[in-house]
Amino acid sequence: KKWFGDEKKSMSASIGNSFYDYLGIDYGDYMTIANLNIRTEPSVSAKKVATVRIATILKVAVNDMKIEADGHIWHKIKYGDSHCYVAGKYLKEVKR
């Protein structure tokens, strides 16, 4: 699906593949320091999309707002074609 800006007015011209591409969200590489659940929302009770193993590299939105909930700071990640959430205390930035 494409994000068209204000779909209430018109769906005639796309401004990009997604809202996040349009806003210019930057992603950094982060490595998991434990097995980590990927969730649909920033909550331990949200639906689990997947569990990744320790030392997995994830694309984390570095200039997006982090959310505090359920005793964690949640980070938005790009996972496949979706945006999901992981608990930040299980991530370590990969310096290049």
Side-chain angles (χ1 to χ4, degrees):
K1 293 183 177 181
K2 292 185 182 254
W3 184 73
F4 292 90
D6 188 351
E7 280 88 359
K8 292 178 187 171
K9 291 184 180 179
S10 170
M11 292 183 70
S12 62
S14 173
I15 59 173
N17 289 331
S18 78
F19 175 76
Y20 296 100
D21 292 340
Y22 177 72
L23 289 179
I25 301 296
D26 291 326
Y27 295 90
D29 290 334
Y30 283 71
M31 181 176 64
T32 60
I33 59 172
N35 291 345
L36 183 60
N37 292 325
I38 296 174
R39 299 193 179 271
T40 57
E41 298 293 329
S43 170
V44 294
S45 60
K47 180 181 175 190
K48 185 169 45 168
V49 175
T51 300
V52 293
R53 298 180 70 93
I54 189 170
T56 300
I57 303 297
L58 298 174
K59 295 286 185 191
V60 175
V62 294
N63 62 339
D64 196 20
M65 184 173 69
K66 290 152 188 67
I67 300 167
E68 187 172 349
D70 297 339
H72 295 283
I73 303 295
W74 295 88
H75 296 260
K76 186 179 292 179
I77 67 164
K78 192 168 194 173
Y79 188 72
D81 291 334
S82 300
H83 287 91
C84 301
Y85 293 87
V86 295
K89 71 180 182 180
Y90 302 108
L91 298 173
K92 180 178 180 175
E93 185 176 8
V94 175
K95 305 273 185 183
R96 299 206 187 248

